[in-house]
Amino acid sequence: MIELEGVPELIDPVMVAAFEGWNDAGDAASAAVAHLDKEWKGEVFAALDAEDYYDFQVNRPTVWLDGGVRKITWPTTRLSVVRVGGDKPRDLVLVRGIEPSMRWRSFCNELLGFAHELGVELVVIMGALLGDTPHTRPVPVSGVTSDADLARTMDLEETKYEGPTGIVGILQEACTHAGVPAVSLWAAVPHYVSQPPNPKATLALLNRLEDLIDLRIPLGELPEDARAWQLGVDQLAAEDSEVAEYVQTLEEARDTAELPEASGEAIAREFERYLRRRDGGGPAAGPGGHATESGESYLRDTPGTPGGRGRPPMAQRPESDTGQDGEPDAEPRRGTDEATDGGRSGAPGRAPGSGESPGTADAPDTSDTADPSGSSDTTSGSSDTPDSSED
């Protein structure tokens, strides 16, 4: 049995989880949980043993100096709790970490043990995938579940995905088998500008989470960061005529596919969110902070995450394998999972089994395009996943 000391009795707790790596395109999902932790000053109460779940040659520890003393931060998964006040108080259990390298079943069972002891009523797992979606339009966010009853009551898609999966899919199925209601929220990130951060996708996930659990989330500077990100990508895309033409093609396909929704439920949801923000007060924030396994500060936050305004990475020319419908990619690229049937074959951000793709145009050749992000070895755990074009 898991014994929790110093954790108060929680009010209608919801567990919100995200994992860096394969299911986190643009770091959008992990940044969303980091935002919640920052805005509500989450208090870390547990960290999983890194020795049990991580390959340190894949997710390397970092060495840092604290007053001249060298210390080590080990990659792991941490749990924190935030107390949200207001008219309808509700507490959150935040799970933020890296997709484990091994022992996934034990990993999920340990998280479910915490959920049981804390009386968690709902588990929400956030992910992000690469999709054929233009950066100029609202980020599509799909809500999926394995529970048919939950799909009906919460207006979600019942997943029909078959193919390779990540820790998001495994944890959702573990929750279903344990009788814990679980939902996955997936944001579609434009594949031609996939480098992190992506504050626009992070903002879309938080808005969808807000609607799902009926809780006002303080957004801080995130909306401004999202606007700055889009403006930066606009400017960079305008410098390449092939990318600009491709974006226009995606815009036309997206607008055609979503024209009916644009005049109905989407507008209603946005108006309800506006009223909630206008009338609601700011939630209370409790004491706390990040902690590592050894108790030091959790120094994994780096410049460029929500709150920073670094210049967005250069828009990459679209890859040549877009528009392949049907079978799942043999080696899904980073960020693709069960929110799309068959990799990036569907409409932008469409949920599993939601229908045919509106179609995509042939993407320009990218063989001579260099990666402008200046990628280097980091300890974020976001290892490169093979692109489906390498099949």
Short mmCIF file of all heavy atoms in Angstrom, two decimals, residues 257-291:
data_model
loop_
_atom_site.label_atom_id
_atom_site.label_comp_id
_atom_site.label_asym_id
_atom_site.label_seq_id
_atom_site.Cartn_x
_atom_site.Cartn_y
_atom_site.Cartn_z
N ALA A 257 -13.57 21.48 -44.53
CA ALA A 257 -13.99 20.38 -43.66
C ALA A 257 -14.74 20.87 -42.43
O ALA A 257 -15.63 20.18 -41.93
CB ALA A 257 -12.77 19.57 -43.24
N GLU A 258 -14.39 22.06 -41.94
CA GLU A 258 -14.95 22.50 -40.66
C GLU A 258 -15.96 23.63 -40.79
O GLU A 258 -16.38 24.20 -39.79
CB GLU A 258 -13.81 22.95 -39.74
CG GLU A 258 -12.86 21.82 -39.40
CD GLU A 258 -11.97 22.16 -38.23
OE1 GLU A 258 -11.94 23.35 -37.84
OE2 GLU A 258 -11.32 21.26 -37.70
N LEU A 259 -16.37 23.94 -42.01
CA LEU A 259 -17.32 25.03 -42.18
C LEU A 259 -18.60 24.87 -41.38
O LEU A 259 -19.06 25.80 -40.72
CB LEU A 259 -17.65 25.21 -43.67
CG LEU A 259 -18.53 26.41 -44.02
CD1 LEU A 259 -17.85 27.70 -43.59
CD2 LEU A 259 -18.81 26.44 -45.52
N PRO A 260 -19.23 23.67 -41.34
CA PRO A 260 -20.46 23.53 -40.55
C PRO A 260 -20.23 23.77 -39.06
O PRO A 260 -21.02 24.43 -38.40
CB PRO A 260 -20.88 22.08 -40.81
CG PRO A 260 -20.25 21.73 -42.11
CD PRO A 260 -18.94 22.46 -42.12
N GLU A 261 -19.11 23.26 -38.54
CA GLU A 261 -18.86 23.41 -37.10
C GLU A 261 -18.59 24.86 -36.74
O GLU A 261 -18.92 25.32 -35.66
CB GLU A 261 -17.67 22.54 -36.69
CG GLU A 261 -17.39 22.60 -35.19
CD GLU A 261 -16.16 21.82 -34.81
OE1 GLU A 261 -15.51 21.25 -35.69
OE2 GLU A 261 -15.85 21.79 -33.60
N ALA A 262 -17.98 25.60 -37.67
CA ALA A 262 -17.60 26.98 -37.37
C ALA A 262 -18.81 27.83 -37.03
O ALA A 262 -18.68 28.84 -36.35
CB ALA A 262 -16.85 27.58 -38.55
N SER A 263 -19.98 27.45 -37.49
CA SER A 263 -21.17 28.25 -37.23
C SER A 263 -22.04 27.67 -36.12
O SER A 263 -23.11 28.18 -35.87
CB SER A 263 -22.00 28.34 -38.52
OG SER A 263 -22.40 27.05 -38.93
N GLY A 264 -21.57 26.64 -35.46
CA GLY A 264 -22.40 25.99 -34.45
C GLY A 264 -21.74 25.82 -33.10
O GLY A 264 -21.51 26.79 -32.38
N GLU A 265 -21.42 24.54 -32.78
CA GLU A 265 -20.96 24.22 -31.43
C GLU A 265 -19.66 24.92 -31.07
O GLU A 265 -19.46 25.28 -29.91
CB GLU A 265 -20.80 22.71 -31.30
CG GLU A 265 -22.12 21.94 -31.41
CD GLU A 265 -21.92 20.45 -31.22
OE1 GLU A 265 -20.76 20.04 -30.97
OE2 GLU A 265 -22.90 19.71 -31.31
N ALA A 266 -18.74 25.10 -32.02
CA ALA A 266 -17.46 25.72 -31.70
C ALA A 266 -17.65 27.14 -31.19
O ALA A 266 -17.02 27.57 -30.22
CB ALA A 266 -16.55 25.71 -32.93
N ILE A 267 -18.54 27.89 -31.84
CA ILE A 267 -18.80 29.27 -31.42
C ILE A 267 -19.46 29.27 -30.05
O ILE A 267 -19.14 30.09 -29.18
CB ILE A 267 -19.67 29.98 -32.45
CG1 ILE A 267 -18.90 30.11 -33.78
CG2 ILE A 267 -20.11 31.34 -31.95
CD1 ILE A 267 -19.70 30.74 -34.90
N ALA A 268 -20.38 28.33 -29.82
CA ALA A 268 -21.05 28.26 -28.52
C ALA A 268 -20.07 27.97 -27.40
O ALA A 268 -20.12 28.57 -26.32
CB ALA A 268 -22.15 27.19 -28.56
N ARG A 269 -19.14 27.03 -27.64
CA ARG A 269 -18.14 26.70 -26.62
C ARG A 269 -17.26 27.91 -26.31
O ARG A 269 -16.94 28.18 -25.15
CB ARG A 269 -17.29 25.52 -27.08
CG ARG A 269 -17.97 24.18 -26.99
CD ARG A 269 -16.93 23.06 -27.07
NE ARG A 269 -16.16 23.12 -28.29
CZ ARG A 269 -16.50 22.48 -29.41
NH1 ARG A 269 -17.59 21.74 -29.45
NH2 ARG A 269 -15.74 22.56 -30.49
N GLU A 270 -16.85 28.62 -27.36
CA GLU A 270 -15.99 29.78 -27.15
C GLU A 270 -16.72 30.87 -26.36
O GLU A 270 -16.13 31.53 -25.49
CB GLU A 270 -15.52 30.32 -28.50
CG GLU A 270 -14.34 31.27 -28.41
CD GLU A 270 -13.10 30.61 -27.85
OE1 GLU A 270 -12.90 29.41 -28.11
OE2 GLU A 270 -12.35 31.30 -27.14
N PHE A 271 -18.01 31.06 -26.64
CA PHE A 271 -18.78 32.06 -25.92
C PHE A 271 -18.94 31.68 -24.45
O PHE A 271 -18.83 32.53 -23.55
CB PHE A 271 -20.15 32.24 -26.58
CG PHE A 271 -20.98 33.32 -25.95
CD1 PHE A 271 -20.58 34.64 -26.01
CD2 PHE A 271 -22.16 33.01 -25.29
CE1 PHE A 271 -21.34 35.65 -25.43
CE2 PHE A 271 -22.92 34.01 -24.70
CZ PHE A 271 -22.52 35.33 -24.78
N GLU A 272 -19.18 30.40 -24.19
CA GLU A 272 -19.30 29.95 -22.80
C GLU A 272 -17.98 30.15 -22.05
O GLU A 272 -17.97 30.53 -20.88
CB GLU A 272 -19.70 28.47 -22.76
CG GLU A 272 -21.13 28.22 -23.22
CD GLU A 272 -21.43 26.73 -23.35
OE1 GLU A 272 -20.49 25.92 -23.12
OE2 GLU A 272 -22.57 26.39 -23.67
N ARG A 273 -16.86 29.89 -22.73
CA ARG A 273 -15.56 30.11 -22.09
C ARG A 273 -15.36 31.59 -21.78
O ARG A 273 -14.83 31.95 -20.74
CB ARG A 273 -14.45 29.59 -23.00
CG ARG A 273 -13.07 29.65 -22.36
CD ARG A 273 -11.99 29.12 -23.28
NE ARG A 273 -12.21 27.70 -23.58
CZ ARG A 273 -12.43 27.22 -24.78
NH1 ARG A 273 -12.45 28.05 -25.82
NH2 ARG A 273 -12.61 25.93 -24.97
N TYR A 274 -15.78 32.44 -22.70
CA TYR A 274 -15.66 33.89 -22.47
C TYR A 274 -16.46 34.32 -21.24
O TYR A 274 -15.97 35.07 -20.39
CB TYR A 274 -16.14 34.65 -23.71
CG TYR A 274 -16.46 36.11 -23.43
CD1 TYR A 274 -15.44 37.04 -23.26
CD2 TYR A 274 -17.79 36.54 -23.32
CE1 TYR A 274 -15.73 38.36 -23.00
CE2 TYR A 274 -18.08 37.85 -23.06
CZ TYR A 274 -17.05 38.77 -22.90
OH TYR A 274 -17.35 40.07 -22.62
N LEU A 275 -17.69 33.82 -21.13
CA LEU A 275 -18.52 34.18 -19.97
C LEU A 275 -17.91 33.68 -18.67
O LEU A 275 -17.92 34.38 -17.65
CB LEU A 275 -19.93 33.61 -20.14
CG LEU A 275 -20.77 34.20 -21.28
CD1 LEU A 275 -22.12 33.49 -21.36
CD2 LEU A 275 -20.97 35.70 -21.08
N ARG A 276 -17.36 32.46 -18.71
CA ARG A 276 -16.75 31.89 -17.50
C ARG A 276 -15.56 32.73 -17.05
O ARG A 276 -15.37 32.98 -15.87
CB ARG A 276 -16.35 30.46 -17.77
CG ARG A 276 -15.78 29.74 -16.55
CD ARG A 276 -15.77 28.24 -16.74
NE ARG A 276 -15.05 27.84 -17.94
CZ ARG A 276 -15.59 27.20 -18.96
NH1 ARG A 276 -16.86 26.88 -18.95
NH2 ARG A 276 -14.87 26.85 -20.01
N ARG A 277 -14.76 33.19 -18.00
CA ARG A 277 -13.59 33.98 -17.65
C ARG A 277 -13.97 35.38 -17.19
O ARG A 277 -13.33 35.96 -16.34
CB ARG A 277 -12.64 34.08 -18.84
CG ARG A 277 -12.00 32.76 -19.15
CD ARG A 277 -10.83 32.90 -20.12
NE ARG A 277 -10.19 31.64 -20.30
CZ ARG A 277 -9.36 31.09 -19.42
NH1 ARG A 277 -9.10 31.73 -18.30
NH2 ARG A 277 -8.82 29.91 -19.63
N ARG A 278 -15.04 35.93 -17.78
CA ARG A 278 -15.46 37.28 -17.39
C ARG A 278 -16.03 37.30 -15.98
O ARG A 278 -15.76 38.22 -15.20
CB ARG A 278 -16.52 37.79 -18.37
CG ARG A 278 -16.94 39.23 -18.11
CD ARG A 278 -18.17 39.59 -18.91
NE ARG A 278 -19.34 38.83 -18.47
CZ ARG A 278 -20.56 38.99 -18.95
NH1 ARG A 278 -20.77 39.86 -19.92
NH2 ARG A 278 -21.56 38.28 -18.50
N ASP A 279 -16.80 36.26 -15.62
CA ASP A 279 -17.49 36.24 -14.33
C ASP A 279 -16.68 35.59 -13.23
O ASP A 279 -16.92 35.85 -12.05
CB ASP A 279 -18.83 35.51 -14.45
CG ASP A 279 -19.76 36.20 -15.44
OD1 ASP A 279 -19.59 37.43 -15.63
OD2 ASP A 279 -20.62 35.52 -16.01
N GLY A 280 -15.75 34.70 -13.58
CA GLY A 280 -15.04 33.94 -12.56
C GLY A 280 -13.92 34.74 -11.93
O GLY A 280 -13.32 35.63 -12.51
N GLY A 281 -13.62 34.39 -10.67
CA GLY A 281 -12.49 34.98 -9.98
C GLY A 281 -11.29 34.09 -10.11
O GLY A 281 -11.36 32.94 -10.50
N GLY A 282 -10.13 34.64 -9.75
CA GLY A 282 -8.91 33.86 -9.82
C GLY A 282 -8.85 32.81 -8.74
O GLY A 282 -9.14 33.09 -7.58
N PRO A 283 -8.47 31.58 -9.06
CA PRO A 283 -8.39 30.53 -8.07
C PRO A 283 -7.24 30.76 -7.10
O PRO A 283 -6.26 31.40 -7.42
CB PRO A 283 -8.15 29.27 -8.91
CG PRO A 283 -7.55 29.77 -10.17
CD PRO A 283 -8.11 31.12 -10.39
N ALA A 284 -7.38 30.18 -5.93
CA ALA A 284 -6.35 30.32 -4.91
C ALA A 284 -5.15 29.48 -5.28
O ALA A 284 -5.27 28.43 -5.88
CB ALA A 284 -6.90 29.89 -3.55
N ALA A 285 -3.98 29.95 -4.90
CA ALA A 285 -2.75 29.22 -5.16
C ALA A 285 -2.11 28.85 -3.84
O ALA A 285 -2.04 29.66 -2.92
CB ALA A 285 -1.79 30.07 -5.99
N GLY A 286 -1.65 27.62 -3.73
CA GLY A 286 -1.04 27.16 -2.49
C GLY A 286 0.46 27.19 -2.57
O GLY A 286 1.05 27.46 -3.60
N PRO A 287 1.14 26.93 -1.47
CA PRO A 287 2.58 26.92 -1.44
C PRO A 287 3.13 25.69 -2.13
O PRO A 287 2.43 24.72 -2.35
CB PRO A 287 2.89 26.89 0.07
CG PRO A 287 1.72 26.18 0.66
CD PRO A 287 0.54 26.58 -0.17
N GLY A 288 4.40 25.72 -2.44
CA GLY A 288 5.01 24.52 -2.97
C GLY A 288 6.01 24.81 -4.06
O GLY A 288 6.43 25.94 -4.25
N GLY A 289 6.41 23.80 -4.80
CA GLY A 289 7.38 23.94 -5.86
C GLY A 289 7.77 22.59 -6.39
O GLY A 289 7.25 21.57 -5.96
N HIS A 290 8.71 22.57 -7.31
CA HIS A 290 9.19 21.32 -7.87
C HIS A 290 10.22 20.69 -6.96
O HIS A 290 10.90 21.37 -6.21
CB HIS A 290 9.83 21.58 -9.24
CG HIS A 290 8.85 22.05 -10.26
ND1 HIS A 290 7.87 21.25 -10.78
CD2 HIS A 290 8.69 23.26 -10.86
CE1 HIS A 290 7.16 21.93 -11.66
NE2 HIS A 290 7.64 23.14 -11.73
N ALA A 291 10.35 19.40 -7.02
CA ALA A 291 11.37 18.71 -6.25
C ALA A 291 11.90 17.55 -7.05
O ALA A 291 11.20 16.97 -7.87
CB ALA A 291 10.82 18.20 -4.92
#
